[in-house]
PDB file of all heavy atoms in Angstrom:
ATOM      1  N   LEU A 207       4.460   7.897   6.892  1.00 98.00           N
ATOM      2  CA  LEU A 207       5.502   8.433   5.993  1.00 98.00           C
ATOM      3  C   LEU A 207       6.786   7.600   6.188  1.00 98.00           C
ATOM      4  O   LEU A 207       7.283   7.461   7.262  1.00 98.00           O
ATOM      5  CB  LEU A 207       5.805   9.877   6.362  1.00 98.00           C
ATOM      6  CG  LEU A 207       6.947  10.494   5.488  1.00 98.00           C
ATOM      7  CD1 LEU A 207       6.471  10.714   4.109  1.00 98.00           C
ATOM      8  CD2 LEU A 207       7.356  11.855   6.112  1.00 98.00           C
ATOM      9  N   VAL A 208       7.317   7.042   5.052  1.00 98.00           N
ATOM     10  CA  VAL A 208       8.493   6.258   5.116  1.00 98.00           C
ATOM     11  C   VAL A 208       9.727   7.212   4.984  1.00 98.00           C
ATOM     12  O   VAL A 208      10.631   7.188   5.793  1.00 98.00           O
ATOM     13  CB  VAL A 208       8.559   5.275   3.955  1.00 98.00           C
ATOM     14  CG1 VAL A 208       9.869   4.481   3.951  1.00 98.00           C
ATOM     15  CG2 VAL A 208       7.397   4.253   4.141  1.00 98.00           C
ATOM     16  N   GLU A 209       9.689   8.096   3.989  1.00 98.00           N
ATOM     17  CA  GLU A 209      10.796   9.049   3.750  1.00 98.00           C
ATOM     18  C   GLU A 209      10.359  10.084   2.660  1.00 98.00           C
ATOM     19  O   GLU A 209       9.357   9.878   1.983  1.00 98.00           O
ATOM     20  CB  GLU A 209      11.995   8.314   3.250  1.00 98.00           C
ATOM     21  CG  GLU A 209      11.902   7.685   1.846  1.00 98.00           C
ATOM     22  CD  GLU A 209      13.157   7.066   1.327  1.00 98.00           C
ATOM     23  OE1 GLU A 209      14.242   7.404   1.868  1.00 98.00           O
ATOM     24  OE2 GLU A 209      13.066   6.206   0.403  1.00 98.00           O
ATOM     25  N   ALA A 210      11.131  11.112   2.693  1.00 98.00           N
ATOM     26  CA  ALA A 210      11.068  12.081   1.612  1.00 98.00           C
ATOM     27  C   ALA A 210      12.199  11.839   0.625  1.00 98.00           C
ATOM     28  O   ALA A 210      13.302  11.522   1.063  1.00 98.00           O
ATOM     29  CB  ALA A 210      11.122  13.491   2.093  1.00 98.00           C
ATOM     30  N   VAL A 211      11.957  11.906  -0.639  1.00 98.00           N
ATOM     31  CA  VAL A 211      12.961  11.730  -1.688  1.00 98.00           C
ATOM     32  C   VAL A 211      12.988  12.975  -2.608  1.00 98.00           C
ATOM     33  O   VAL A 211      12.004  13.636  -2.719  1.00 98.00           O
ATOM     34  CB  VAL A 211      12.768  10.396  -2.500  1.00 98.00           C
ATOM     35  CG1 VAL A 211      12.998   9.179  -1.579  1.00 98.00           C
ATOM     36  CG2 VAL A 211      11.381  10.414  -3.129  1.00 98.00           C
ATOM     37  N   ALA A 212      14.150  13.074  -3.265  1.00 98.00           N
ATOM     38  CA  ALA A 212      14.264  14.344  -4.095  1.00 98.00           C
ATOM     39  C   ALA A 212      15.073  13.979  -5.373  1.00 98.00           C
ATOM     40  O   ALA A 212      15.980  13.164  -5.343  1.00 98.00           O
ATOM     41  CB  ALA A 212      14.899  15.475  -3.372  1.00 98.00           C
ATOM     42  N   ASP A 213      14.762  14.718  -6.453  1.00 96.00           N
ATOM     43  CA  ASP A 213      15.523  14.537  -7.705  1.00 96.00           C
ATOM     44  C   ASP A 213      16.558  15.677  -7.901  1.00 96.00           C
ATOM     45  O   ASP A 213      17.153  15.763  -8.960  1.00 96.00           O
ATOM     46  CB  ASP A 213      14.606  14.453  -8.896  1.00 96.00           C
ATOM     47  CG  ASP A 213      13.799  15.761  -9.216  1.00 96.00           C
ATOM     48  OD1 ASP A 213      14.081  16.773  -8.628  1.00 96.00           O
ATOM     49  OD2 ASP A 213      12.934  15.734 -10.084  1.00 96.00           O
ATOM     50  N   ARG A 214      16.729  16.530  -6.840  1.00 95.00           N
ATOM     51  CA  ARG A 214      17.772  17.601  -6.907  1.00 95.00           C
ATOM     52  C   ARG A 214      18.206  17.921  -5.511  1.00 95.00           C
ATOM     53  O   ARG A 214      17.609  17.505  -4.498  1.00 95.00           O
ATOM     54  CB  ARG A 214      17.034  18.858  -7.588  1.00 95.00           C
ATOM     55  CG  ARG A 214      15.910  19.429  -6.781  1.00 95.00           C
ATOM     56  CD  ARG A 214      14.998  20.331  -7.576  1.00 95.00           C
ATOM     57  NE  ARG A 214      14.235  19.509  -8.534  1.00 95.00           N
ATOM     58  CZ  ARG A 214      13.388  20.049  -9.340  1.00 95.00           C
ATOM     59  NH1 ARG A 214      13.134  21.366  -9.389  1.00 95.00           N
ATOM     60  NH2 ARG A 214      12.701  19.285 -10.253  1.00 95.00           N
ATOM     61  N   ALA A 215      19.266  18.705  -5.459  1.00 95.00           N
ATOM     62  CA  ALA A 215      19.826  19.116  -4.174  1.00 95.00           C
ATOM     63  C   ALA A 215      19.041  20.280  -3.588  1.00 95.00           C
ATOM     64  O   ALA A 215      18.287  20.984  -4.322  1.00 95.00           O
ATOM     65  CB  ALA A 215      21.304  19.472  -4.388  1.00 95.00           C
ATOM     66  N   ASP A 216      19.190  20.464  -2.283  1.00 95.00           N
ATOM     67  CA  ASP A 216      18.593  21.629  -1.575  1.00 95.00           C
ATOM     68  C   ASP A 216      17.085  21.726  -1.719  1.00 95.00           C
ATOM     69  O   ASP A 216      16.582  22.842  -1.924  1.00 95.00           O
ATOM     70  CB  ASP A 216      19.329  22.920  -1.944  1.00 95.00           C
ATOM     71  CG  ASP A 216      20.814  22.833  -1.722  1.00 95.00           C
ATOM     72  OD1 ASP A 216      21.199  22.335  -0.620  1.00 95.00           O
ATOM     73  OD2 ASP A 216      21.580  23.298  -2.590  1.00 95.00           O
ATOM     74  N   ALA A 217      16.431  20.649  -1.783  1.00 97.00           N
ATOM     75  CA  ALA A 217      14.972  20.661  -1.756  1.00 97.00           C
ATOM     76  C   ALA A 217      14.426  19.816  -0.662  1.00 97.00           C
ATOM     77  O   ALA A 217      15.062  18.730  -0.357  1.00 97.00           O
ATOM     78  CB  ALA A 217      14.473  20.143  -3.130  1.00 97.00           C
ATOM     79  N   PHE A 218      13.341  20.214  -0.040  1.00 98.00           N
ATOM     80  CA  PHE A 218      12.973  19.617   1.228  1.00 98.00           C
ATOM     81  C   PHE A 218      11.461  19.277   1.230  1.00 98.00           C
ATOM     82  O   PHE A 218      10.719  19.830   0.428  1.00 98.00           O
ATOM     83  CB  PHE A 218      13.260  20.511   2.432  1.00 98.00           C
ATOM     84  CG  PHE A 218      14.719  20.964   2.480  1.00 98.00           C
ATOM     85  CD1 PHE A 218      15.154  22.091   1.929  1.00 98.00           C
ATOM     86  CD2 PHE A 218      15.671  20.089   3.025  1.00 98.00           C
ATOM     87  CE1 PHE A 218      16.475  22.474   1.948  1.00 98.00           C
ATOM     88  CE2 PHE A 218      17.008  20.453   3.085  1.00 98.00           C
ATOM     89  CZ  PHE A 218      17.395  21.661   2.589  1.00 98.00           C
ATOM     90  N   ALA A 219      11.078  18.494   2.152  1.00 98.00           N
ATOM     91  CA  ALA A 219       9.663  18.297   2.523  1.00 98.00           C
ATOM     92  C   ALA A 219       9.476  19.036   3.880  1.00 98.00           C
ATOM     93  O   ALA A 219      10.448  19.367   4.594  1.00 98.00           O
ATOM     94  CB  ALA A 219       9.292  16.906   2.748  1.00 98.00           C
ATOM     95  N   TRP A 220       8.234  19.360   4.197  1.00 98.00           N
ATOM     96  CA  TRP A 220       7.888  20.181   5.382  1.00 98.00           C
ATOM     97  C   TRP A 220       6.715  19.596   6.060  1.00 98.00           C
ATOM     98  O   TRP A 220       5.658  19.269   5.441  1.00 98.00           O
ATOM     99  CB  TRP A 220       7.643  21.618   5.005  1.00 98.00           C
ATOM    100  CG  TRP A 220       8.747  22.210   4.268  1.00 98.00           C
ATOM    101  CD1 TRP A 220       8.972  22.132   2.901  1.00 98.00           C
ATOM    102  CD2 TRP A 220       9.859  22.970   4.749  1.00 98.00           C
ATOM    103  NE1 TRP A 220      10.098  22.818   2.536  1.00 98.00           N
ATOM    104  CE2 TRP A 220      10.730  23.323   3.642  1.00 98.00           C
ATOM    105  CE3 TRP A 220      10.263  23.342   6.086  1.00 98.00           C
ATOM    106  CZ2 TRP A 220      11.875  24.116   3.794  1.00 98.00           C
ATOM    107  CZ3 TRP A 220      11.401  24.141   6.194  1.00 98.00           C
ATOM    108  CH2 TRP A 220      12.222  24.452   5.093  1.00 98.00           C
ATOM    109  N   HIS A 221       6.789  19.406   7.395  1.00 98.00           N
ATOM    110  CA  HIS A 221       5.572  18.983   8.161  1.00 98.00           C
ATOM    111  C   HIS A 221       5.051  20.248   8.847  1.00 98.00           C
ATOM    112  O   HIS A 221       5.711  20.994   9.507  1.00 98.00           O
ATOM    113  CB  HIS A 221       5.947  17.962   9.248  1.00 98.00           C
ATOM    114  CG  HIS A 221       4.800  17.446  10.024  1.00 98.00           C
ATOM    115  ND1 HIS A 221       4.570  17.540  11.318  1.00 98.00           N
ATOM    116  CD2 HIS A 221       3.644  16.843   9.470  1.00 98.00           C
ATOM    117  CE1 HIS A 221       3.454  16.951  11.692  1.00 98.00           C
ATOM    118  NE2 HIS A 221       2.868  16.519  10.552  1.00 98.00           N
ATOM    119  N   VAL A 222       3.742  20.434   8.641  1.00 98.00           N
ATOM    120  CA  VAL A 222       3.081  21.632   9.191  1.00 98.00           C
ATOM    121  C   VAL A 222       1.890  21.244  10.052  1.00 98.00           C
ATOM    122  O   VAL A 222       1.080  20.399   9.645  1.00 98.00           O
ATOM    123  CB  VAL A 222       2.520  22.496   8.006  1.00 98.00           C
ATOM    124  CG1 VAL A 222       1.772  23.762   8.530  1.00 98.00           C
ATOM    125  CG2 VAL A 222       3.696  22.955   7.077  1.00 98.00           C
ATOM    126  N   GLU A 223       1.879  21.749  11.273  1.00 98.00           N
ATOM    127  CA  GLU A 223       0.902  21.362  12.263  1.00 98.00           C
ATOM    128  C   GLU A 223       0.542  22.562  13.174  1.00 98.00           C
ATOM    129  O   GLU A 223       1.291  23.552  13.188  1.00 98.00           O
ATOM    130  CB  GLU A 223       1.407  20.172  13.153  1.00 98.00           C
ATOM    131  CG  GLU A 223       2.658  20.561  13.856  1.00 98.00           C
ATOM    132  CD  GLU A 223       3.302  19.334  14.526  1.00 98.00           C
ATOM    133  OE1 GLU A 223       2.606  18.440  14.941  1.00 98.00           O
ATOM    134  OE2 GLU A 223       4.542  19.281  14.640  1.00 98.00           O
ATOM    135  N   GLN A 224      -0.610  22.489  13.837  1.00 97.00           N
ATOM    136  CA  GLN A 224      -0.934  23.521  14.793  1.00 97.00           C
ATOM    137  C   GLN A 224      -0.006  23.569  15.932  1.00 97.00           C
ATOM    138  O   GLN A 224       0.549  22.519  16.392  1.00 97.00           O
ATOM    139  CB  GLN A 224      -2.333  23.261  15.267  1.00 97.00           C
ATOM    140  CG  GLN A 224      -3.444  23.559  14.284  1.00 97.00           C
ATOM    141  CD  GLN A 224      -4.844  23.419  14.834  1.00 97.00           C
ATOM    142  OE1 GLN A 224      -5.065  22.596  15.688  1.00 97.00           O
ATOM    143  NE2 GLN A 224      -5.773  24.179  14.327  1.00 97.00           N
ATOM    144  N   ASP A 225       0.196  24.751  16.500  1.00 95.00           N
ATOM    145  CA  ASP A 225       1.080  24.905  17.687  1.00 95.00           C
ATOM    146  C   ASP A 225       0.340  25.801  18.668  1.00 95.00           C
ATOM    147  O   ASP A 225      -0.129  26.920  18.315  1.00 95.00           O
ATOM    148  CB  ASP A 225       2.353  25.568  17.279  1.00 95.00           C
ATOM    149  CG  ASP A 225       3.325  25.743  18.463  1.00 95.00           C
ATOM    150  OD1 ASP A 225       4.007  24.802  18.843  1.00 95.00           O
ATOM    151  OD2 ASP A 225       3.263  26.868  19.076  1.00 95.00           O
ATOM    152  N   PRO A 226       0.129  25.374  19.905  1.00 91.00           N
ATOM    153  CA  PRO A 226      -0.632  26.176  20.918  1.00 91.00           C
ATOM    154  C   PRO A 226      -0.100  27.572  21.122  1.00 91.00           C
ATOM    155  O   PRO A 226      -0.834  28.540  21.342  1.00 91.00           O
ATOM    156  CB  PRO A 226      -0.544  25.346  22.170  1.00 91.00           C
ATOM    157  CG  PRO A 226      -0.216  23.923  21.742  1.00 91.00           C
ATOM    158  CD  PRO A 226       0.568  24.101  20.491  1.00 91.00           C
ATOM    159  N   ALA A 227       1.271  27.700  21.003  1.00 89.00           N
ATOM    160  CA  ALA A 227       1.882  28.966  21.287  1.00 89.00           C
ATOM    161  C   ALA A 227       1.852  29.910  20.083  1.00 89.00           C
ATOM    162  O   ALA A 227       1.384  31.086  20.234  1.00 89.00           O
ATOM    163  CB  ALA A 227       3.324  28.758  21.792  1.00 89.00           C
ATOM    164  N   SER A 228       2.292  29.406  18.942  1.00 90.00           N
ATOM    165  CA  SER A 228       2.428  30.339  17.807  1.00 90.00           C
ATOM    166  C   SER A 228       1.330  30.224  16.803  1.00 90.00           C
ATOM    167  O   SER A 228       1.278  30.964  15.784  1.00 90.00           O
ATOM    168  CB  SER A 228       3.799  30.034  17.108  1.00 90.00           C
ATOM    169  OG  SER A 228       3.844  28.674  16.693  1.00 90.00           O
ATOM    170  N   GLY A 229       0.499  29.212  16.924  1.00 93.00           N
ATOM    171  CA  GLY A 229      -0.566  28.972  15.954  1.00 93.00           C
ATOM    172  C   GLY A 229      -0.280  27.871  14.981  1.00 93.00           C
ATOM    173  O   GLY A 229      -1.058  27.011  14.644  1.00 93.00           O
ATOM    174  N   VAL A 230       1.029  27.829  14.480  1.00 96.00           N
ATOM    175  CA  VAL A 230       1.445  26.876  13.558  1.00 96.00           C
ATOM    176  C   VAL A 230       2.903  26.552  13.657  1.00 96.00           C
ATOM    177  O   VAL A 230       3.651  27.455  14.019  1.00 96.00           O
ATOM    178  CB  VAL A 230       1.067  27.280  12.102  1.00 96.00           C
ATOM    179  CG1 VAL A 230       1.959  28.445  11.640  1.00 96.00           C
ATOM    180  CG2 VAL A 230       1.220  26.096  11.070  1.00 96.00           C
ATOM    181  N   ARG A 231       3.305  25.329  13.474  1.00 97.00           N
ATOM    182  CA  ARG A 231       4.730  24.959  13.528  1.00 97.00           C
ATOM    183  C   ARG A 231       5.056  24.187  12.242  1.00 97.00           C
ATOM    184  O   ARG A 231       4.367  23.300  11.789  1.00 97.00           O
ATOM    185  CB  ARG A 231       4.924  24.038  14.747  1.00 97.00           C
ATOM    186  CG  ARG A 231       6.421  23.533  14.836  1.00 97.00           C
ATOM    187  CD  ARG A 231       6.706  22.894  16.199  1.00 97.00           C
ATOM    188  NE  ARG A 231       5.819  21.689  16.473  1.00 97.00           N
ATOM    189  CZ  ARG A 231       4.975  21.633  17.420  1.00 97.00           C
ATOM    190  NH1 ARG A 231       4.764  22.695  18.198  1.00 97.00           N
ATOM    191  NH2 ARG A 231       4.260  20.533  17.529  1.00 97.00           N
ATOM    192  N   GLU A 232       6.208  24.580  11.676  1.00 97.00           N
ATOM    193  CA  GLU A 232       6.706  23.995  10.437  1.00 97.00           C
ATOM    194  C   GLU A 232       8.037  23.331  10.786  1.00 97.00           C
ATOM    195  O   GLU A 232       8.982  23.954  11.296  1.00 97.00           O
ATOM    196  CB  GLU A 232       6.900  25.082   9.375  1.00 97.00           C
ATOM    197  CG  GLU A 232       7.504  24.547   8.084  1.00 97.00           C
ATOM    198  CD  GLU A 232       7.779  25.758   7.093  1.00 97.00           C
ATOM    199  OE1 GLU A 232       8.930  26.376   7.253  1.00 97.00           O
ATOM    200  OE2 GLU A 232       6.953  26.106   6.310  1.00 97.00           O
ATOM    201  N   THR A 233       8.187  22.066  10.359  1.00 98.00           N
ATOM    202  CA  THR A 233       9.380  21.316  10.563  1.00 98.00           C
ATOM    203  C   THR A 233       9.962  20.797   9.263  1.00 98.00           C
ATOM    204  O   THR A 233       9.254  20.176   8.440  1.00 98.00           O
ATOM    205  CB  THR A 233       9.104  20.092  11.473  1.00 98.00           C
ATOM    206  OG1 THR A 233       8.480  20.538  12.672  1.00 98.00           O
ATOM    207  CG2 THR A 233      10.408  19.310  11.822  1.00 98.00           C
ATOM    208  N   ARG A 234      11.201  21.118   8.979  1.00 98.00           N
ATOM    209  CA  ARG A 234      11.815  20.686   7.772  1.00 98.00           C
ATOM    210  C   ARG A 234      12.192  19.232   7.783  1.00 98.00           C
ATOM    211  O   ARG A 234      12.683  18.722   8.810  1.00 98.00           O
ATOM    212  CB  ARG A 234      13.094  21.541   7.479  1.00 98.00           C
ATOM    213  CG  ARG A 234      13.716  21.274   6.147  1.00 98.00           C
ATOM    214  CD  ARG A 234      14.855  22.230   5.833  1.00 98.00           C
ATOM    215  NE  ARG A 234      16.011  21.889   6.616  1.00 98.00           N
ATOM    216  CZ  ARG A 234      17.244  22.449   6.465  1.00 98.00           C
ATOM    217  NH1 ARG A 234      17.434  23.401   5.552  1.00 98.00           N
ATOM    218  NH2 ARG A 234      18.301  22.075   7.191  1.00 98.00           N
ATOM    219  N   VAL A 235      11.995  18.565   6.712  1.00 97.00           N
ATOM    220  CA  VAL A 235      12.251  17.161   6.605  1.00 97.00           C
ATOM    221  C   VAL A 235      13.286  16.947   5.442  1.00 97.00           C
ATOM    222  O   VAL A 235      13.074  17.379   4.341  1.00 97.00           O
ATOM    223  CB  VAL A 235      11.037  16.285   6.271  1.00 97.00           C
ATOM    224  CG1 VAL A 235      11.388  14.792   6.107  1.00 97.00           C
ATOM    225  CG2 VAL A 235       9.922  16.493   7.326  1.00 97.00           C
ATOM    226  N   ILE A 236      14.426  16.414   5.786  1.00 97.00           N
ATOM    227  CA  ILE A 236      15.542  16.213   4.856  1.00 97.00           C
ATOM    228  C   ILE A 236      15.104  15.097   3.852  1.00 97.00           C
ATOM    229  O   ILE A 236      14.601  14.032   4.236  1.00 97.00           O
ATOM    230  CB  ILE A 236      16.847  15.822   5.547  1.00 97.00           C
ATOM    231  CG1 ILE A 236      17.264  16.885   6.474  1.00 97.00           C
ATOM    232  CG2 ILE A 236      17.914  15.593   4.451  1.00 97.00           C
ATOM    233  CD1 ILE A 236      17.566  18.199   5.909  1.00 97.00           C
ATOM    234  N   ALA A 237      15.249  15.422   2.572  1.00 98.00           N
ATOM    235  CA  ALA A 237      14.864  14.487   1.541  1.00 98.00           C
ATOM    236  C   ALA A 237      16.121  13.695   1.029  1.00 98.00           C
ATOM    237  O   ALA A 237      17.187  14.250   0.843  1.00 98.00           O
ATOM    238  CB  ALA A 237      14.245  15.183   0.322  1.00 98.00           C
ATOM    239  N   ARG A 238      15.990  12.423   0.865  1.00 98.00           N
ATOM    240  CA  ARG A 238      17.101  11.591   0.354  1.00 98.00           C
ATOM    241  C   ARG A 238      17.215  11.818  -1.143  1.00 98.00           C
ATOM    242  O   ARG A 238      16.242  11.722  -1.857  1.00 98.00           O
ATOM    243  CB  ARG A 238      16.823  10.093   0.624  1.00 98.00           C
ATOM    244  CG  ARG A 238      17.907   9.144  -0.002  1.00 98.00           C
ATOM    245  CD  ARG A 238      17.710   7.694   0.455  1.00 98.00           C
ATOM    246  NE  ARG A 238      16.442   7.147   0.022  1.00 98.00           N
ATOM    247  CZ  ARG A 238      16.351   6.467  -1.142  1.00 98.00           C
ATOM    248  NH1 ARG A 238      17.350   6.413  -1.996  1.00 98.00           N
ATOM    249  NH2 ARG A 238      15.140   5.958  -1.527  1.00 98.00           N
ATOM    250  N   ARG A 239      18.388  12.164  -1.579  1.00 97.00           N
ATOM    251  CA  ARG A 239      18.597  12.436  -3.038  1.00 97.00           C
ATOM    252  C   ARG A 239      18.658  11.179  -3.763  1.00 97.00           C
ATOM    253  O   ARG A 239      19.419  10.210  -3.462  1.00 97.00           O
ATOM    254  CB  ARG A 239      20.003  13.198  -3.173  1.00 97.00           C
ATOM    255  CG  ARG A 239      20.349  13.520  -4.637  1.00 97.00           C
ATOM    256  CD  ARG A 239      19.598  14.707  -5.117  1.00 97.00           C
ATOM    257  NE  ARG A 239      19.857  15.070  -6.518  1.00 97.00           N
ATOM    258  CZ  ARG A 239      20.894  15.787  -6.883  1.00 97.00           C
ATOM    259  NH1 ARG A 239      21.707  16.326  -5.999  1.00 97.00           N
ATOM    260  NH2 ARG A 239      21.109  16.022  -8.186  1.00 97.00           N
TER     261      ARG A 239
END
Side-chain angles (χ1 to χ4, degrees):
L207 180 69
V208 176
E209 64 174 344
V211 293
D213 66 11
R214 65 199 69 179
D216 301 319
F218 304 96
W220 306 84
H221 186 237
V222 178
E223 59 190 327
Q224 288 183 328
D225 182 84
S228 62
V230 69
R231 178 169 59 246
E232 177 186 87
T233 305
R234 187 174 73 171
V235 179
I236 302 298
R238 178 172 65 88
R239 179 78 181 273

